[in-house]
Amino acid sequence: MAHFRLVLGRLELDPPRHRKGTKAARQELPFPLSETLTVSSRRGVPSLHYTFQTDQQHVIVDVVDAQRVQILSHRVDRQQRVTLTQPVSGPLEIQLDHPSDKQSFQSPSLIHLRASHPVLFETHLHHLMPYLLDGPTLETITAAAEQRLLRVACERPIPSLDDVRDALDRIRSPQSKVRRAAEAELLAMGLPVLRHLDRLDNEFLDAEQRSRIRRVRWTLRPQQSDSPSRLASWLSTDRDYWNLAAVHWSPAQRVLADQYVQRVCGIGLDAEVLDIDEGIRIAEAAAPFSR
């Protein structure tokens, strides 16, 4: 009745692939599970209400106009609730409620959330994701993208943060042809420009810069489901994600990653990542970055 897809690590409904109505289902194996699904549509844009209930977990997924997503997960066995809100644009908002622990934080995407908070992801989203997404799992796509990251960095020039800032400065030019050329340059940089733009403080941009950035984002945003190569291109300028991924790499790979991130982002990997002892177990090495 409806099909989710992952676009730059964000869940959204695929508008052409939906059918209005309500349906319920139940299974006993591999574990008892009941589901209900209601799909509505306005002007061809679907919205959805989905429930996923096991003995240990109750989940509600609400989607409005294909892209605004909210996931409420209650782990009965842990007395823990998580609310994940995905607006049409901007980072995901995550709120964790537990009798002994309450916290709120943001994450750029589900891929970042899985890397930075693996325990939370495993507890609340790991079992749900296969019921929402067809095809390869999030874990499979992410692993393939991380394998490509270093290759992408070596295969072709990646725009640096300074390149993006220089183009944005030219958008302040009094000459319209210079402003148009600067926007065209940003578009020519492709997906890697998006994470650079995320690092900029909009408070210091003028109205035309913000307008052209919105147009660049809209134009570059993929219209198809994520692939490992597309994700690797998007993440190639994401220093935060390089820090998360490099925890699992060899010392030699971390040195290469540090040199690359220094060149592209203006600052290298965190010292804690570079100094991870080769003998430390991966789980222990990742702990400082896992919350």
Side-chain angles (χ1 to χ4, degrees), residues 65-107:
D65 295 339
Q67 293 183 28
R68 292 200 295 274
V69 179
Q70 185 174 71
I71 300 176
L72 294 89
S73 171
H74 177 207
R75 281 297 297 259
V76 180
D77 54 332
R78 300 189 180 210
Q79 295 184 314
Q80 187 182 75
R81 296 178 184 268
V82 164
T83 302
L84 184 152
T85 302
Q86 175 189 285
V88 174
S89 62
L92 312 182
E93 301 279 351
I94 298 95
Q95 180 175 325
L96 172 65
D97 292 304
H98 186 272
S100 62
D101 183 22
K102 295 182 184 293
Q103 59 175 295
S104 299
F105 59 94
Q106 295 182 333
S107 182

CSV table of all heavy atoms in Angstrom, one decimal, residues 65-107:
chain,number,residue,atom,x,y,z
A,65,ASP,N,2.6,14.2,4.2
A,65,ASP,CA,3.0,14.7,2.9
A,65,ASP,C,4.3,14.1,2.5
A,65,ASP,O,5.3,14.8,2.1
A,65,ASP,CB,3.2,16.3,3.0
A,65,ASP,CG,1.8,17.0,3.2
A,65,ASP,OD1,0.8,16.3,2.9
A,65,ASP,OD2,1.8,18.1,3.6
A,66,ALA,N,4.5,12.8,2.7
A,66,ALA,CA,5.5,12.0,2.2
A,66,ALA,C,6.9,12.1,2.9
A,66,ALA,O,7.7,11.2,3.0
A,66,ALA,CB,5.8,12.2,0.7
A,67,GLN,N,7.2,13.3,3.5
A,67,GLN,CA,8.5,13.5,4.0
A,67,GLN,C,8.6,13.8,5.5
A,67,GLN,O,9.6,13.6,6.1
A,67,GLN,CB,9.2,14.7,3.2
A,67,GLN,CG,9.5,14.3,1.8
A,67,GLN,CD,10.3,15.4,1.1
A,67,GLN,OE1,11.0,16.2,1.7
A,67,GLN,NE2,10.1,15.5,-0.2
A,68,ARG,N,7.6,14.5,6.0
A,68,ARG,CA,7.6,14.8,7.5
A,68,ARG,C,7.3,13.5,8.2
A,68,ARG,O,6.1,13.0,8.2
A,68,ARG,CB,6.6,15.9,7.8
A,68,ARG,CG,7.0,17.2,7.2
A,68,ARG,CD,6.3,18.4,8.0
A,68,ARG,NE,4.8,18.4,7.8
A,68,ARG,CZ,4.2,18.9,6.8
A,68,ARG,NH1,4.9,19.5,5.8
A,68,ARG,NH2,2.9,18.9,6.7
A,69,VAL,N,8.2,13.0,9.0
A,69,VAL,CA,8.2,11.7,9.6
A,69,VAL,C,8.3,11.9,11.1
A,69,VAL,O,9.2,12.6,11.6
A,69,VAL,CB,9.3,10.8,9.1
A,69,VAL,CG1,9.2,9.4,9.8
A,69,VAL,CG2,9.2,10.6,7.6
A,70,GLN,N,7.5,11.1,11.9
A,70,GLN,CA,7.7,11.0,13.3
A,70,GLN,C,7.6,9.5,13.7
A,70,GLN,O,6.7,8.8,13.3
A,70,GLN,CB,6.7,11.8,14.1
A,70,GLN,CG,7.0,11.8,15.6
A,70,GLN,CD,6.1,12.7,16.4
A,70,GLN,OE1,4.9,12.4,16.5
A,70,GLN,NE2,6.7,13.8,16.9
A,71,ILE,N,8.6,9.0,14.5
A,71,ILE,CA,8.6,7.7,14.9
A,71,ILE,C,8.6,7.7,16.5
A,71,ILE,O,9.5,8.3,17.1
A,71,ILE,CB,9.9,6.9,14.4
A,71,ILE,CG1,9.9,6.8,12.9
A,71,ILE,CG2,9.9,5.5,15.0
A,71,ILE,CD1,11.1,6.2,12.3
A,72,LEU,N,7.7,7.1,17.1
A,72,LEU,CA,7.6,7.0,18.5
A,72,LEU,C,7.8,5.5,18.9
A,72,LEU,O,7.0,4.6,18.5
A,72,LEU,CB,6.3,7.5,19.1
A,72,LEU,CG,6.0,8.9,18.9
A,72,LEU,CD1,5.3,9.2,17.6
A,72,LEU,CD2,5.1,9.4,20.1
A,73,SER,N,8.8,5.2,19.6
A,73,SER,CA,9.2,3.8,20.0
A,73,SER,C,9.2,3.7,21.5
A,73,SER,O,9.9,4.5,22.2
A,73,SER,CB,10.5,3.4,19.4
A,73,SER,OG,10.9,2.2,20.0
A,74,HIS,N,8.4,2.7,22.0
A,74,HIS,CA,8.4,2.4,23.5
A,74,HIS,C,8.9,1.0,23.7
A,74,HIS,O,8.3,0.1,23.2
A,74,HIS,CB,7.0,2.6,24.0
A,74,HIS,CG,6.8,2.3,25.4
A,74,HIS,ND1,5.6,1.8,26.0
A,74,HIS,CD2,7.7,2.3,26.5
A,74,HIS,CE1,5.8,1.6,27.3
A,74,HIS,NE2,7.1,1.9,27.6
A,75,ARG,N,10.0,0.9,24.3
A,75,ARG,CA,10.5,-0.4,24.7
A,75,ARG,C,10.0,-0.8,26.1
A,75,ARG,O,10.4,-0.3,27.1
A,75,ARG,CB,12.0,-0.4,24.7
A,75,ARG,CG,12.7,-0.5,23.4
A,75,ARG,CD,12.3,-1.9,22.7
A,75,ARG,NE,12.8,-3.0,23.4
A,75,ARG,CZ,13.9,-3.7,23.0
A,75,ARG,NH1,14.6,-3.3,22.0
A,75,ARG,NH2,14.3,-4.7,23.7
A,76,VAL,N,9.0,-1.6,26.1
A,76,VAL,CA,8.3,-2.0,27.3
A,76,VAL,C,9.2,-2.7,28.3
A,76,VAL,O,9.2,-2.4,29.5
A,76,VAL,CB,7.1,-2.9,27.0
A,76,VAL,CG1,6.4,-3.3,28.3
A,76,VAL,CG2,6.1,-2.3,26.0
A,77,ASP,N,10.1,-3.5,27.8
A,77,ASP,CA,11.1,-4.2,28.6
A,77,ASP,C,12.1,-3.3,29.3
A,77,ASP,O,12.7,-3.7,30.3
A,77,ASP,CB,11.7,-5.4,27.8
A,77,ASP,CG,12.4,-4.8,26.6
A,77,ASP,OD1,12.0,-3.8,26.0
A,77,ASP,OD2,13.4,-5.5,26.1
A,78,ARG,N,12.3,-2.1,28.7
A,78,ARG,CA,13.4,-1.2,29.2
A,78,ARG,C,12.8,0.0,29.9
A,78,ARG,O,13.6,0.9,30.3
A,78,ARG,CB,14.3,-0.9,28.1
A,78,ARG,CG,15.0,-2.1,27.5
A,78,ARG,CD,16.1,-1.6,26.6
A,78,ARG,NE,16.8,-2.8,26.0
A,78,ARG,CZ,18.1,-2.8,25.6
A,78,ARG,NH1,18.8,-1.8,25.8
A,78,ARG,NH2,18.6,-3.9,25.1
A,79,GLN,N,11.5,0.2,29.8
A,79,GLN,CA,10.9,1.4,30.3
A,79,GLN,C,11.5,2.7,29.6
A,79,GLN,O,11.8,3.7,30.3
A,79,GLN,CB,11.0,1.6,31.8
A,79,GLN,CG,10.2,0.5,32.6
A,79,GLN,CD,10.3,0.7,34.1
A,79,GLN,OE1,11.3,1.0,34.6
A,79,GLN,NE2,9.1,0.6,34.7
A,80,GLN,N,11.7,2.6,28.3
A,80,GLN,CA,12.4,3.6,27.6
A,80,GLN,C,11.6,4.0,26.4
A,80,GLN,O,11.1,3.1,25.6
A,80,GLN,CB,13.8,3.1,27.2
A,80,GLN,CG,14.7,4.2,26.5
A,80,GLN,CD,16.0,3.6,26.1
A,80,GLN,OE1,16.1,2.8,25.1
A,80,GLN,NE2,17.1,3.9,26.9
A,81,ARG,N,11.5,5.3,26.2
A,81,ARG,CA,10.8,5.8,25.0
A,81,ARG,C,11.7,6.7,24.2
A,81,ARG,O,12.5,7.5,24.7
A,81,ARG,CB,9.5,6.7,25.4
A,81,ARG,CG,8.5,5.9,26.1
A,81,ARG,CD,7.3,6.8,26.5
A,81,ARG,NE,6.3,6.1,27.3
A,81,ARG,CZ,5.2,5.5,26.8
A,81,ARG,NH1,5.0,5.6,25.5
A,81,ARG,NH2,4.4,4.9,27.6
A,82,VAL,N,11.6,6.6,22.9
A,82,VAL,CA,12.3,7.5,22.0
A,82,VAL,C,11.4,8.1,21.0
A,82,VAL,O,10.5,7.4,20.4
A,82,VAL,CB,13.4,6.7,21.2
A,82,VAL,CG1,13.9,7.5,20.0
A,82,VAL,CG2,14.6,6.4,22.1
A,83,THR,N,11.5,9.4,20.8
A,83,THR,CA,10.7,10.1,19.8
A,83,THR,C,11.7,10.7,18.7
A,83,THR,O,12.6,11.4,19.1
A,83,THR,CB,9.9,11.2,20.4
A,83,THR,OG1,9.0,10.7,21.4
A,83,THR,CG2,9.0,11.9,19.3
A,84,LEU,N,11.5,10.2,17.5
A,84,LEU,CA,12.4,10.7,16.4
A,84,LEU,C,11.5,11.6,15.5
A,84,LEU,O,10.5,11.0,14.9
A,84,LEU,CB,13.0,9.6,15.7
A,84,LEU,CG,14.0,9.9,14.5
A,84,LEU,CD1,15.1,8.8,14.4
A,84,LEU,CD2,13.3,10.1,13.2
A,85,THR,N,11.9,12.8,15.3
A,85,THR,CA,11.1,13.7,14.4
A,85,THR,C,12.0,14.1,13.2
A,85,THR,O,13.1,14.6,13.4
A,85,THR,CB,10.6,14.9,15.2
A,85,THR,OG1,9.8,14.5,16.3
A,85,THR,CG2,9.8,15.8,14.3
A,86,GLN,N,11.5,13.9,12.0
A,86,GLN,CA,12.2,14.3,10.8
A,86,GLN,C,11.4,15.4,10.1
A,86,GLN,O,10.4,15.1,9.4
A,86,GLN,CB,12.5,13.1,9.9
A,86,GLN,CG,13.1,13.4,8.6
A,86,GLN,CD,13.1,12.3,7.6
A,86,GLN,OE1,13.9,11.4,7.8
A,86,GLN,NE2,12.2,12.3,6.6
A,87,PRO,N,11.8,16.6,10.1
A,87,PRO,CA,11.1,17.7,9.4
A,87,PRO,C,11.4,17.6,7.9
A,87,PRO,O,12.3,16.7,7.5
A,87,PRO,CB,11.7,19.0,10.0
A,87,PRO,CG,13.1,18.6,10.4
A,87,PRO,CD,13.0,17.2,10.9
A,88,VAL,N,10.8,18.4,7.1
A,88,VAL,CA,11.1,18.3,5.6
A,88,VAL,C,12.5,18.6,5.3
A,88,VAL,O,13.1,18.1,4.4
A,88,VAL,CB,10.1,19.3,4.9
A,88,VAL,CG1,10.5,19.3,3.4
A,88,VAL,CG2,8.7,18.8,5.0
A,89,SER,N,13.1,19.6,6.1
A,89,SER,CA,14.5,19.9,5.9
A,89,SER,C,15.1,20.1,7.3
A,89,SER,O,14.4,20.3,8.3
A,89,SER,CB,14.7,21.2,5.1
A,89,SER,OG,14.1,22.3,5.7
A,90,GLY,N,16.4,20.0,7.4
A,90,GLY,CA,17.1,20.2,8.7
A,90,GLY,C,17.3,18.9,9.3
A,90,GLY,O,16.8,17.8,8.9
A,91,PRO,N,18.0,18.9,10.5
A,91,PRO,CA,18.4,17.6,11.1
A,91,PRO,C,17.2,16.9,11.8
A,91,PRO,O,16.2,17.5,12.1
A,91,PRO,CB,19.4,18.1,12.2
A,91,PRO,CG,19.1,19.5,12.4
A,91,PRO,CD,18.6,20.1,11.1
A,92,LEU,N,17.4,15.6,12.1
A,92,LEU,CA,16.5,14.9,12.8
A,92,LEU,C,16.5,15.3,14.3
A,92,LEU,O,17.6,15.6,14.8
A,92,LEU,CB,16.8,13.4,12.8
A,92,LEU,CG,17.0,12.7,11.4
A,92,LEU,CD1,17.3,11.2,11.6
A,92,LEU,CD2,15.9,13.0,10.4
A,93,GLU,N,15.4,15.3,14.9
A,93,GLU,CA,15.3,15.6,16.4
A,93,GLU,C,15.0,14.3,17.1
A,93,GLU,O,14.0,13.7,16.8
A,93,GLU,CB,14.2,16.7,16.7
A,93,GLU,CG,14.4,18.0,15.9
A,93,GLU,CD,15.4,18.9,16.6
A,93,GLU,OE1,15.8,18.6,17.7
A,93,GLU,OE2,15.8,19.9,16.0
A,94,ILE,N,15.9,14.0,18.1
A,94,ILE,CA,15.7,12.8,18.8
A,94,ILE,C,15.5,13.1,20.3
A,94,ILE,O,16.4,13.8,20.9
A,94,ILE,CB,16.9,11.8,18.6
A,94,ILE,CG1,17.0,11.4,17.2
A,94,ILE,CG2,16.7,10.5,19.5
A,94,ILE,CD1,17.9,12.2,16.3
A,95,GLN,N,14.5,12.5,20.9
A,95,GLN,CA,14.3,12.7,22.4
A,95,GLN,C,14.2,11.3,23.0
A,95,GLN,O,13.4,10.5,22.6
A,95,GLN,CB,13.0,13.5,22.6
A,95,GLN,CG,12.7,13.7,24.1
A,95,GLN,CD,11.5,14.6,24.3
A,95,GLN,OE1,11.3,15.6,23.6
A,95,GLN,NE2,10.8,14.3,25.4
A,96,LEU,N,15.0,11.2,24.1
A,96,LEU,CA,15.1,9.9,24.8
A,96,LEU,C,14.5,10.1,26.2
A,96,LEU,O,14.9,11.1,26.9
A,96,LEU,CB,16.5,9.4,24.9
A,96,LEU,CG,16.8,8.2,25.8
A,96,LEU,CD1,16.1,7.0,25.3
A,96,LEU,CD2,18.3,8.0,26.0
A,97,ASP,N,13.5,9.3,26.6
A,97,ASP,CA,12.9,9.4,27.9
A,97,ASP,C,13.0,8.1,28.6
A,97,ASP,O,12.6,7.0,28.1
A,97,ASP,CB,11.4,9.8,27.7
A,97,ASP,CG,11.2,11.2,27.2
A,97,ASP,OD1,11.7,12.1,27.8
A,97,ASP,OD2,10.5,11.3,26.2
A,98,HIS,N,13.6,8.2,29.8
A,98,HIS,CA,13.8,7.0,30.7
A,98,HIS,C,13.7,7.5,32.1
A,98,HIS,O,14.1,8.7,32.4
A,98,HIS,CB,15.1,6.3,30.4
A,98,HIS,CG,15.3,5.0,31.1
A,98,HIS,ND1,15.9,5.0,32.4
A,98,HIS,CD2,15.0,3.8,30.8
A,98,HIS,CE1,15.9,3.7,32.8
A,98,HIS,NE2,15.4,3.0,31.9
A,99,PRO,N,13.2,6.7,33.0
A,99,PRO,CA,13.1,7.2,34.4
A,99,PRO,C,14.4,7.8,34.9
A,99,PRO,O,14.4,8.7,35.8
A,99,PRO,CB,12.7,6.0,35.2
A,99,PRO,CG,11.9,5.2,34.2
A,99,PRO,CD,12.6,5.4,32.9
A,100,SER,N,15.6,7.2,34.5
A,100,SER,CA,16.9,7.7,35.0
A,100,SER,C,17.7,8.5,34.0
A,100,SER,O,18.8,8.9,34.3
A,100,SER,CB,17.7,6.5,35.4
A,100,SER,OG,17.9,5.6,34.3
A,101,ASP,N,17.1,8.7,32.8
A,101,ASP,CA,17.9,9.4,31.8
A,101,ASP,C,16.9,10.1,30.8
A,101,ASP,O,16.1,9.4,30.1
A,101,ASP,CB,18.8,8.4,31.0
A,101,ASP,CG,19.7,9.1,30.0
A,101,ASP,OD1,19.9,10.3,30.1
A,101,ASP,OD2,20.1,8.4,29.1
A,102,LYS,N,17.1,11.4,30.6
A,102,LYS,CA,16.3,12.1,29.6
A,102,LYS,C,17.3,13.0,28.8
A,102,LYS,O,18.1,13.7,29.4
A,102,LYS,CB,15.3,13.0,30.2
A,102,LYS,CG,14.2,12.3,31.0
A,102,LYS,CD,13.1,13.2,31.5
A,102,LYS,CE,12.1,12.5,32.3
A,102,LYS,NZ,11.2,11.6,31.5
A,103,GLN,N,17.3,12.9,27.5
A,103,GLN,CA,18.2,13.7,26.7
A,103,GLN,C,17.5,14.0,25.4
A,103,GLN,O,16.7,13.2,24.9
A,103,GLN,CB,19.5,13.0,26.5
A,103,GLN,CG,19.5,11.7,25.9
A,103,GLN,CD,20.8,11.1,25.7
A,103,GLN,OE1,21.6,11.6,24.9
A,103,GLN,NE2,21.2,10.0,26.4
A,104,SER,N,18.0,15.1,24.8
A,104,SER,CA,17.5,15.5,23.4
A,104,SER,C,18.8,15.8,22.6
A,104,SER,O,19.7,16.5,23.1
A,104,SER,CB,16.6,16.7,23.5
A,104,SER,OG,15.4,16.4,24.2
A,105,PHE,N,18.8,15.5,21.3
A,105,PHE,CA,19.9,15.8,20.5
A,105,PHE,C,19.4,15.8,19.0
A,105,PHE,O,18.3,15.4,18.7
A,105,PHE,CB,21.1,14.9,20.7
A,105,PHE,CG,20.8,13.4,20.5
A,105,PHE,CD1,21.0,12.8,19.2
A,105,PHE,CD2,20.2,12.6,21.5
A,105,PHE,CE1,20.8,11.5,19.0
A,105,PHE,CE2,20.0,11.3,21.2
A,105,PHE,CZ,20.2,10.7,20.0
A,106,GLN,N,20.3,16.2,18.1
A,106,GLN,CA,20.0,16.2,16.7
A,106,GLN,C,21.0,15.3,16.0
A,106,GLN,O,22.1,15.0,16.4
A,106,GLN,CB,20.2,17.6,16.2
A,106,GLN,CG,19.2,18.6,16.7
A,106,GLN,CD,19.3,20.0,16.1
A,106,GLN,OE1,20.4,20.4,15.7
A,106,GLN,NE2,18.2,20.8,16.1
A,107,SER,N,20.5,14.8,14.8
A,107,SER,CA,21.4,14.0,13.9
A,107,SER,C,21.0,14.3,12.5
A,107,SER,O,19.9,14.5,12.1
A,107,SER,CB,21.1,12.5,14.2
A,107,SER,OG,22.0,11.7,13.4
